[in-house]
Structures are given as structure tokens and as C-alpha cells.
């Protein structure tokens, strides 16, 4: 997307624009695409929204791997609809990034070239069908905790996209939890599958909230600008507090011997997160990073001729 | 905390008896509440087999479209292909459930436990020789052009059929067809628009689109030949003779292919039914291995 070329009246001075922007943020009002905004705000938002969009699109893969094998037609319908929703989320989010001057194809290239990150959780493989349920419950659950506050993000298009995204995520989470409830009522083998999936996904789901507050370089500025609303550690704690009773209701054990209720605060204390693993996975060395990106690259490259054809056709038939 | 922020919190007390609390998870029986009585003069065994033919076409094509998930050329196309797949899956569930409701379950119940609903017994516990889909839907996807040509042919044929089945003497089949007509109209349109873009796009896309047409055309050989089951059901006012669809289907396809600046190949000579009688190639065996593997590994499980 190129910068508008229309003639504009002489720009008001930068200090006045900055003051107007600051007042908008202070009053908890929305910044809209045509409003002046500091360059850092624009760049920070593009980075965050693109990272979120990439996560939706890469996130289609781990569950998508079970689409062909879903063990009942009802589960196949639920999963196919969910994977479809994720493609839709990616579309809204790339569109929100485009209102800031970014371009979807360029953002996709940056993802494929490894210049953009996405949520590290999607670099873990889905080993059994219970993983589909646990991704719904824990991964979508953690995403909801992260994302619901973004419905009040200071940037209007992002906030509005997040309202719809969150409604659908909450749907997915319930569907995932319901799958697990059903499996827990099934055979011993199914119960073991659920526990095994919880064992594998619990810690990575805690990492979804990002590095601890004292090691999160972009957080302070994002909070000041109203792009983020709560700190990583605060959201992580909220997620743990909500998940423990749900695990109990389900009848699974969370794989953390140090997890216990602190009676003085009413909140759960939990063990040390393996941040070395987090850094390893986020920097491209998780179990499935290469596979995830390779598939995205193949979808782009193998079908480039389709996009070229559609473009050529549109040009021929433009009137 | 804002209202939306309590969504997750409510999860562990949201379940219970109410089947609808997570949308889509409560619909165990696709035909719940429907009167499944077979009208007089219709042989339930024939009706069930006919439903399997049409249900298997939908299920197998859904599986083929789903193979594109995460591999499509654009995000818009991810959404569109998944959507068409979901429509076909919905049709398959209704048709297989209808077959089950008239007692046509083949050998599926030899392996499927009682807790498995009819639609799943039929989808997951029949072998390839009991599947009654045509060769058209079981063929590999090939590239995007061939996938779109196949979708165009399959939806043009199915739309012509479903339009006529809306007046079937079996009210369940008629209702399934009436619902399907809207869906298939969209699928046919979507595929046709792509064929226009590909045929009249670049030299490369034209070449691939023509190759797709040339590869798919021979698969139409048995689409217009009735089986004995269909012949008897035509007499009973339940089914449509596929020969009756020929003019509409070949007319639509010729028009789209010509407008896409492609050459229309000669139509193949009519062939005797094959897939409809359970005769299939290795493509179907491979497709069923993916579809059925997990369910068969845990025949006593509930999902």
C-alpha cells in the first residue's frame, strides 16, 4: 500500500499532533487509521498485529493435521469449522495491519523468511486426537486471556477485529473442553491420551504469555500506548488461576508438583518455567518450526501461478 | 473485570446436561426430530443404497477438498474450500444417517460398537468395496486447476440432480436436496469463476487449466448411467435417472470451458456403473486409510 498522494494542507507542527495523540490515549479513546500517530506506535502495532495474524495462520497446521483423520463426522465438522475460523482471523488481522500501511503479501514473505515471529506454541506437534481438545482448552484459553483485553486496545481496527476473534476463540475453547470431557468419559486409553496431551501442552501454554515482565523489552511502551492492557505475568497468573479448577473438573493432573493454592492471596503459585526452552523454540529451534514454515512457503510458491493468473485476468477484464 | 473477560472463567460450570453449550457438539443425530418413515411403495433397501451413493460422493469429495487445508493459494481460498467441504460433510451426514434410518448399514456393524451412531458406522467401518461413490470424486486432487475442474464437474452434476430430487417421493431425501441446492449453486459458481481466471489468465495457468479439463473429462464416463437400484427408484418416484442430467450438465460445462478460452474435449462414451457398485481404484483405499484409521484403532471409544 503506498502513501496517499493527494495534496494536503500544510501539516500542523509535530508537537501539536503528538499532543493530540497523547490526549487521545490518555482519554482512553481510539486511534483510527487516518489519525496522526508516532512512528514507533505504528511500527509496534504492525509488529504485534502481524505476529498475531501469523500465529492464526501457522496455528491452522497443528490441528489441521487431524482434519482428515477426525474420528467422527461430528468432530470433523467442528474441527474443519475451527480451522476455517482461524484463516478468517488471519484475514481480519492482516487487514488491520494493512490499515497501518503494511501489505499482506509482504508480511507473509517476512514470516516465511524468518524475519517475523509467531506464537511459539504452534511449533509443538499434535501427537494424538486429545491434542485437538487440549489445544482448544489450554491454547485457545491462554489466547483468550491474552486477547480479551485487546478488544480495548487503543488502535480502533485492531480492537474491533479482536471482538470477533475473541467470540470465536471462546467457542473453540468450549468445543475443545467438551471433546476432553467426552474422552474422559470414554475408555482408559482415551483418558491416558488426555493426560498425556495435558502433560505436553501445559508448560508451553504458560509460555504463550511471553517472557517475564522483567525481561519483556517491548511491554512497557506497549502498555503506555494502550496497545497492551495487562503485563505478561499478570495475564499468566490469571490463566493459571482459572485453569486449575477446570483441570480438576476434567479429572486431569497439571504436570507441576509445585502448583498449589496460596491461601494468603487466593491465587495459585506455580513452578519455574523453562525459559531456555521458550527461547529455543521462539528463535526457530522447536520441534516443528521448520515444518510449519516449509508448508507456508510451499503454499505460497507452489500456487504462485494461481495468484498470477487471477491478477492477469483481473487486469484483462478491468473496465 | 469486563463481562467478556469472564468467558474463560465460566468454562468449568458451563457444561452439564445442555447439549448446546458449545455449538455443534450437541448434534449427535443429524436427523433428530425428523419423521423417517418410508412412504409406501418404496423399497427401503434401495432407498438406503441410493443415499449411500450420494452420501459417499459428498464424503469423499469433502475429504479431497480438506486436503487443501493449510495448502491453498490464498487465505480467502482456505475459507472457501473449507466452507464447501463443510457443506458436503453436512450433506454426507444427512444422507448416511438416512441410509442408517432405513437399516442399510452394510457390514459396518460387524466392527462398529453400538455407541457409534449410524453415520459414523457407515463412514468409518465400511471397506472400499462397500463405498458407492463415483470415480470422479475419488481421483487425486492434482494441482489447483484440476481441483477446480473436478469441483466444477461434480457440483454441476450434483446440482442438476438435487434440483430434481426436491420433488422426490421420499420426503427426507427431498428436504436434503432442497437444502443442498443452495450450497451446490455456490460451489459450482466458485469453481466456474476460478476456471475463467485460470483459463484466461496467464500462459501457464491456461496450460494447467486445459490439462485439468483433459484429465477430468474421462471421469465423467459413468456419470450418466443408472444402476439397477436407481432404475427401480426412478419407477417409484424417488430417484432421478442420471441420463436425464446429461444435457444440463454438459451444457453448463461446455459454456464455462469455452468462456475460459479452453478447448472442450470430446465427451467419453457412456460406461457401465463401476464406483456405484463398489469397484474402486487404489486412490480410494488410500483416502479411506486416512479417514478411518483413528476411528478403527479405537472401536470402543466415544468422541
Amino acid at each position: 500500500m503506498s502513501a496517499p498522494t493527494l495534496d494536503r494542507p500544510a501539516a500542523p507542527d509535530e508537537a501539536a499532533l503528538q499532543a493530540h495523540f497523547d490526549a487521545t490515549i490518555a482519554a482512553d479513546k481510539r486511534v483510527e487509521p487516518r489519525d496522526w500517530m508516532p512512528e514507533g506506535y505504528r511500527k509496534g502495532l504492525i509488529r504485534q498485529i502481524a505476529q498475531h495474524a501469523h500465529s492464526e495462520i501457522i496455528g491452522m497446521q497443528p490441528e489441521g493435521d487431524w482434519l482428515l483423520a477426525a474420528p467422527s463426522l461430528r468432530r470433523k465438522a467442528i474441527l474443519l469449522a475451527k480451522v476455517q475460523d482461524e484463516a478468517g482471523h488471519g484475514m481480519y488481522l492482516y487487514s488491520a495491519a494493512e490499515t497501518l500501511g503494511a501489505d499482506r503479501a509482504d508480511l507473509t514473505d517476512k514470516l516465511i523468511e524468518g524475519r517475523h515471529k509467531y506464537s511459539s506454541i504452534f511449533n509443538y506437534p499434535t501427537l494424538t486426537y486429545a491434542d485437538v481438545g487440549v489445544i482448544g482448552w489450554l491454547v485457545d484459553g491462554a489466547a483468550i486471556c491474552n486477547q480479551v483485553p485487546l478488544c480495548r486496545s487503543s488502535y480502533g481496527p485492531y480492537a474491533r477485529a479482536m471482538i470477533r476473534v475473541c467470540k470465536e476463540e471462546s467457542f473453540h475453547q468450549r468445543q475443545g473442553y467438551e471433546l476432553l470431557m467426552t474422552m474422559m468419559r470414554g475408555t482408559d486409553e482415551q483418558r491416558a491420551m488426555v493426560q498425556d496431551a495435558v502433560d505436553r501442552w501445559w508448560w508451553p501454554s504458560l509460555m504463550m504469555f511471553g517472557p517475564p515482565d522483567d525481561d519483556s523489552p517491548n511491554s512497557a511502551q506497549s502498555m503506555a500506548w494502550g496497545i497492551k492492557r495487562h503485563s505478561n505475568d499478570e495475564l499468566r497468573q490469571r490463566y493459571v488461576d482459572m485453569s486449575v479448577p477446570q483441570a480438576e473438573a476434567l479429572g486431569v493432573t497439571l504436570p507441576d508438583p509445585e502448583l498449589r493454592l496460596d491461601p494468603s492471596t487466593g491465587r495459585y503459585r506455580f513452578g519455574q518455567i523453562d525459559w531456555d526452552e521458550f527461547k529455543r523454540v521462539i528463535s526457530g529451534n522447536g520441534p516443528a518450526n521448520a515444518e510449519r514454515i516449509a508448508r507456508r512457503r510451499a503454499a505460497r510458491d507452489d500456487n504462485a501461478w494461481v495468484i498470477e493468473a487471477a491478477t492477469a485476468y483481473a487486469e484483462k477484464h478491468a473496465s | 473485570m469486563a463481562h467478556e473477560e469472564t468467558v474463560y472463567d465460566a468454562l468449568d460450570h458451563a457444561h452439564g446436561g445442555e447439549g448446546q453449550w458449545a455449538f455443534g457438539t450437541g448434534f449427535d443425530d443429524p436427523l433428530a426430530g425428523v419423521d423417517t418413515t418410508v412412504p409406501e411403495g418404496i423399497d427401503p433397501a434401495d432407498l438406503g443404497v441410493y443415499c449411500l451413493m450420494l452420501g459417499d460422493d459428498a464424503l469423499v469429495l469433502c475429504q479431497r477438498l480438506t486436503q487443501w487445508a493449510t495448502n491453498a493459494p490464498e487465505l480467502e481460498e482456505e475459507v472457501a474450500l473449507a466452507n464447501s467441504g463443510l457443506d458436503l460433510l453436512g450433506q454426507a451426514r444427512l444422507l448416511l444417517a438416512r441410509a442408517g434410518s432405513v437399516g442399510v448399514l452394510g457390514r459396518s456393524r460387524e466392527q462398529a460398537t453400538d455407541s457409534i451412531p449410524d453415520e459414523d458406522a457407515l463412514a468409518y467401518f465400511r471397506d472400499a468395496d462397500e463405498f458407492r461413490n463415483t470415480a470422479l470424486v475419488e481421483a487425486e486432487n492434482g494441482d489447483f486447476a484440476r481441483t477446480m475442474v473436478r469441483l466444477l464437474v461434480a457440483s454441476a452434476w450434483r446440482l442438476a440432480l438435487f434440483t430434481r430430487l426436491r420433488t422426490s417421493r421420499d420426503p427426507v431425501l427431498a428436504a436434503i436436496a432442497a437444502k443442498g441446492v443452495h450450497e451446490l449453486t455456490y460451489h459450482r459458481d466458485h469453481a466456474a469463476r476460478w476456471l475463467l481466471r485460470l483459463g484466461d489468465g496467464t500462459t501457464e495457468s491456461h496450460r494447467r487449466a486445459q490439462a485439468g479439463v483433459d484429465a477430468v473429462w474421462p471421469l465423467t464416463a459413468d456419470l450418466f448411467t443408472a444402476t439397477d437400484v436407481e432404475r427401480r427408484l426412478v419407477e417409484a418416484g424417488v430417484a432421478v435417472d442420471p441420463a436425464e442430467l446429461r444435457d444440463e450438465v454438459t451444457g453448463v460445462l461446455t459454456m464455462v470451458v469455452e468462456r475460459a478460452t479452453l478447448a472442450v474435449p470430446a465427451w467419453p462414451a457412456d460406461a457401465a456403473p463401476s464406483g456405484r457398485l463398489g469397484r474402486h481404484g487404489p486412490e480410494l483405499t488410500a483416502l479411506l486409510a486416512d479417514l478411518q484409521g483413528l476411528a478403527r484403532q479405537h472401536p470402543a471409544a466415544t468422541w
Side-chain angles (χ1 to χ4, degrees), chain B residues 18-201:
Chain B
E18 3 152 23
Q20 312 292 336
W21 72 275
F23 184 81
T25 55
F27 306 154
D28 278 328
D29 176 7
L31 291 178
V34 174
D35 179 2
T36 54
T37 315
V38 178
E40 212 161 307
I42 300 174
D43 178 358
D46 280 350
L47 174 62
V49 168
Y50 190 54
C51 289
L52 289 184
M53 294 176 186
L54 303 181
D56 290 346
D57 277 353
L59 179 60
V60 170
L61 186 54
C62 165
Q63 197 76 353
R64 286 287 178 227
L65 293 180
T66 303
Q67 287 175 327
W68 275 98
T70 75
N71 300 308
E74 263 302 358
L75 296 181
E76 285 78 359
E77 200 53 28
E78 288 284 350
V79 174
L81 289 170
N83 209 47
S84 302
L86 276 167
D87 288 343
L88 290 169
L89 182 55
Q91 293 176 15
R93 293 186 63 187
L94 290 164
L95 287 160
L96 296 184
R98 181 54 172 151
S101 77
V102 297
V104 172
L105 288 155
R107 299 192 304 272
S108 66
R109 284 291 172 203
E110 289 170 16
Q111 291 179 73
T113 53
D114 289 346
S115 61
I116 295 174
D118 288 347
E119 55 168 328
D120 290 333
L122 287 165
Y124 292 94
F125 293 91
R126 275 181 302 156
D127 294 332
D129 65 346
E130 287 191 286
F131 271 75
R132 292 177 176 273
N133 57 280
T134 58
L136 174 68
V137 293
E138 79 186 51
E140 299 275 2
N141 281 328
D143 65 7
F144 186 72
R146 190 152 134 196
T147 298
M148 282 300 132
V149 174
R150 189 250 300 277
L151 181 62
L152 174 68
V153 175
S155 40
W157 185 89
R158 198 170 172 87
L159 176 59
L161 176 71
F162 273 38
T163 305
R164 290 161 176 79
L165 279 180
R166 288 180 299 182
T167 53
S168 168
R169 275 194 61 232
D170 176 36
V172 179
L173 191 53
I176 295 170
K179 176 176 181 287
V181 161
H182 304 288
E183 298 164 346
L184 295 162
T185 303
Y186 166 77
H187 304 174
R188 191 181 73 171
D189 183 64
H190 184 72
R193 284 168 189 267
W194 266 116
L195 198 59
L196 296 186
R197 288 184 204 111
L198 298 178
D200 194 14

Side-chain angles (χ1 to χ4, degrees), chain A residues 97-171:
Chain A
E98 288 190 326
T99 65
L100 292 159
D103 171 73
R104 194 209 287 184
D106 174 59
L107 296 176
T108 302
D109 290 347
K110 286 181 171 137
L111 166 69
I112 291 171
E113 289 154 15
R115 290 194 282 144
H116 272 185
K117 289 184 164 55
Y118 56 90
S119 182
S120 61
I121 194 86
F122 300 118
N123 290 318
Y124 293 87
T126 43
L127 302 183
T128 74
Y129 205 76
D131 290 41
V132 170
V134 170
I135 288 177
W137 171 41
L138 294 179
V139 176
D140 291 327
I144 292 168
C145 289
N146 262 330
Q147 291 169 9
V148 163
L150 298 178
C151 299
R152 294 183 290 118
S153 162
S154 62
Y155 188 58
Y158 190 31
R160 289 187 288 273
M162 289 316 300
I163 291 173
R164 178 152 179 192
V165 169
C166 284
K167 283 186 178 163
E168 292 179 352
E169 294 293 358
S170 132
F171 216 69

Side-chain angles (χ1 to χ4, degrees), chain B residues 127-135 138 222 227 272-285:
Chain B
D127 294 332
D129 65 346
E130 287 191 286
F131 271 75
R132 292 177 176 273
N133 57 280
T134 58
E138 79 186 51
D222 60 356
T227 57
S274 172
R276 292 280 188 242
L277 303 177
R279 295 182 204 125
H280 303 280
E283 293 95 338
L284 186 69
T285 313

Side-chain angles (χ1 to χ4, degrees), chain B residues 237-256:
Chain B
V238 173
V240 174
D241 185 343
E244 209 188 292
L245 311 177
R246 185 195 312 265
D247 290 349
E248 179 179 330
V249 174
T250 56
V252 166
L253 295 177
T254 301
M255 188 178 76
V256 175

Side-chain angles (χ1 to χ4, degrees), chain A residues 82-95:
Chain A
K82 179 183 176 183
V83 172
Q84 183 191 31
D85 284 348
E86 284 161 356
H89 296 174
M91 279 165 54
Y92 310 147
L93 289 163
Y94 284 125
S95 300

Side-chain angles (χ1 to χ4, degrees), chain A residues 40-60:
Chain A
Y41 178 86
R42 181 189 303 276
K43 283 193 177 141
L45 264 173
I46 292 177
R47 183 185 58 82
Q48 182 175 334
I49 297 173
Q51 200 166 306
H52 188 168
H54 299 328
S55 302
E56 295 283 356
I57 299 307
I58 295 292
M60 294 165 69

